[in-house]
Amino acid sequence: MSLLKIALLQITPCKNLSENLEKGIACCKKAKEKGADIALFPEMWSNGYHIYDRPVDEWKREAISIESDFINTFGTLAKQLNMAIGITLLEKYKNAPRNSLALFDRYGELKFVYAKVHTCDFDVERNLTAGENFYVETLDTSCGKVKIGAMICFDREFPESARILMLKGAELILVPNACPMEINRLSQLRARAFENMLAIATCNYPGTVPDCNGNSSVFDGVAYLPDDSGSRDTCIFQAGEVEGIYISELDLEQLREYRENETFGNAYRHPKKYKLLTESKIARPFIRSDYRE
C-alpha cells in the first residue's frame, strides 16, 4: 500500500518575515517527525496574507523574490529533511507582486512556482499580478512518484482550474488557502476531487487568524470502492479551527486503480462541444460590469 503522508501546516503567522521563517522551519521539522512526505503552508505565508486594512504600497514592499534567502532556506530544508515543501509567498514580480506557491521536492529542487490565476479582483487582490498557467510536475517521494499540481484559494471556485490540472496528469492538487472554509467552499473541493478523480489537499489558517477558520482538508476523490454497495465520503481528513500540524494519508494505489476503472475525469468528455467556454466575444448574462479578461 502506497500511503502518501501530507502535512497541512494550519498555523498562525507571526509579526514579520524573519519570525515566519523561523516558525516555518520549526513546523516543517515537526511535520517530518510525524512522517510527512509533503508539507504544505497556508496562503502567502511569507507575510501571513496580511494585505487587508493596510495601505497597498505598504504591503507591496513586503514582496520577496523566488531567489530570496527566505525561499532558498526552504529549498535547503527540503533536502535536509528529505521531504517536499510547498512554501507560499507574496512574490516580487515586475510591476506588481504575485500570490505564489513554490514547490520543492525532497532533493531541494524547485519543481514549479505557481502564481494564483484567479486573483480576487473584486477586492484588494486587484493589486496583484495574476498567474498565467497551471503546472503539474512529478515528485519522487518515499512511497513512489506522484504527479502534483496546485491551485490557490479562489482558484477553487472555477471548475476549469482543477480540470486543466487533471488533463495535465495531476493526481494530487495542493491548495494553500486564507478564507473561511464553510460548507459551500468545502463542497467545491469535494466536487473538484470527485469530477476529476484526483485528490485535493487544502491548508488554511486557523481560527486565530481573522476571516479564517481552519478546517484544512483532504479529499481523495475516490467515490466508489469495489466491495462497497454505494458511494463513500471522499473527505479523508478535516481539521477543526485549532492551530496544528495535521497529517493525512493518501492511498495512491487505491486512487490509481479507481482512475483506471471509473467513468469520471477524462473518460467520456466531449471537448469539441465546449467551444463557448473559451470564447470571449459573447453575451454575458450575470457578469459584473467590472469583469476583466
Side-chain angles (χ1 to χ4, degrees):
M1 182 180 294
S2 299
L3 295 178
L4 182 73
K5 294 185 178 181
I6 306 165
L8 304 175
L9 308 184
Q10 184 173 290
I11 52 179
T12 305
C14 304
K15 296 178 181 179
N16 54 50
L17 182 70
S18 61
E19 290 183 6
N20 283 340
L21 175 60
E22 183 178 349
K23 183 169 184 175
I25 291 171
C27 289
C28 283
K29 289 180 178 179
K30 290 179 182 177
K32 181 61 180 181
E33 290 173 1
K34 292 174 176 282
D37 297 299
I38 303 171
L40 177 63
F41 282 85
E43 186 175 6
M44 208 184 288
W45 174 252
S46 66
N47 82 336
Y49 199 75
H50 189 198
I51 63 176
Y52 283 87
D53 302 321
R54 299 172 64 196
V56 172
D57 288 342
E58 180 180 293
W59 61 256
K60 276 187 173 183
R61 289 194 292 271
E62 297 173 352
I64 59 174
S65 167
I66 288 296
E67 290 78 31
S68 66
D69 290 342
F70 181 90
I71 297 300
N72 286 332
T73 296
F74 285 101
T76 301
L77 183 64
K79 184 176 182 179
Q80 291 174 346
L81 297 178
N82 192 39
M83 178 185 73
I85 297 176
I87 178 65
T88 56
L89 68 153
L90 177 63
E91 180 195 359
K92 184 179 294 185
Y93 188 81
K94 297 182 179 179
N95 296 324
R98 305 196 302 184
N99 181 345
S100 300
L101 164 72
L103 179 64
F104 290 98
D105 68 11
R106 62 178 175 146
Y107 307 110
E109 178 184 349
L110 182 61
K111 302 301 290 185
F112 62 67
V113 177
Y114 170 69
K116 188 176 185 177
V117 168
H118 299 99
T119 48
C120 299
D121 293 339
F122 53 84
D123 211 325
V124 69
E125 281 197 354
R126 68 172 63 93
N127 298 287
L128 298 173
T129 298
E132 294 293 332
N133 206 347
F134 295 94
Y135 306 100
V136 174
E137 291 289 342
T138 300
L139 277 191
D140 178 12
T141 72
S142 61
C143 63
K145 295 182 178 180
V146 57
K147 294 182 178 179
I148 292 185
M151 306 187 298
I152 296 177
C153 200
F154 195 49
D155 286 325
R156 162 200 65 244
E157 307 201 16
F158 299 84
E160 296 86 355
S161 306
R163 177 69 25 140
I164 288 172
L165 289 167
M166 179 275 290
L167 292 173
K168 289 187 172 185
E171 298 174 292
L172 167 64
I173 300 176
L174 302 177
V175 187
N177 196 80
C179 71
M181 292 308 298
E182 39 72 53
I183 187 170
N184 294 300
R185 292 185 174 110
L186 289 167
S187 296
Q188 287 173 329
L189 294 170
R190 184 187 299 275
R192 299 296 89 83
F194 170 76
E195 65 201 9
N196 292 296
M197 294 198 295
L198 46 69
I200 298 183
T202 301
C203 184
N204 195 26
Y205 285 105
T208 51
V209 176
D211 205 34
C212 291
N213 68 338
N215 283 277
S216 298
S217 63
V218 178
F219 293 86
D220 69 3
V222 179
Y224 304 102
L225 292 176
D227 297 331
D228 293 346
S229 58
S231 64
R232 62 183 284 274
D233 187 353
T234 62
C235 183
I236 60 172
F237 176 78
Q238 183 176 337
E241 295 193 9
V242 177
E243 179 175 22
I245 298 168
Y246 298 99
I247 303 291
S248 180
E249 296 183 344
L250 175 64
D251 189 335
L252 291 173
E253 291 181 5
Q254 177 179 271
L255 174 60
R256 288 164 181 164
E257 182 177 353
Y258 178 76
R259 297 181 95 180
E260 288 180 0
N261 295 291
E262 276 299 339
T263 60
F264 310 108
N266 197 28
Y268 295 101
R269 296 174 66 244
H270 295 281
K272 292 181 180 180
K273 301 178 182 180
Y274 307 153
K275 186 178 179 181
L276 187 64
L277 292 175
T278 57
E279 289 184 348
S280 58
K281 295 181 179 180
I282 57 174
R284 293 192 181 94
F286 318 118
I287 299 298
R288 288 166 46 144
S289 59
D290 59 355
Y291 171 80
R292 299 196 302 182
E293 292 285 359

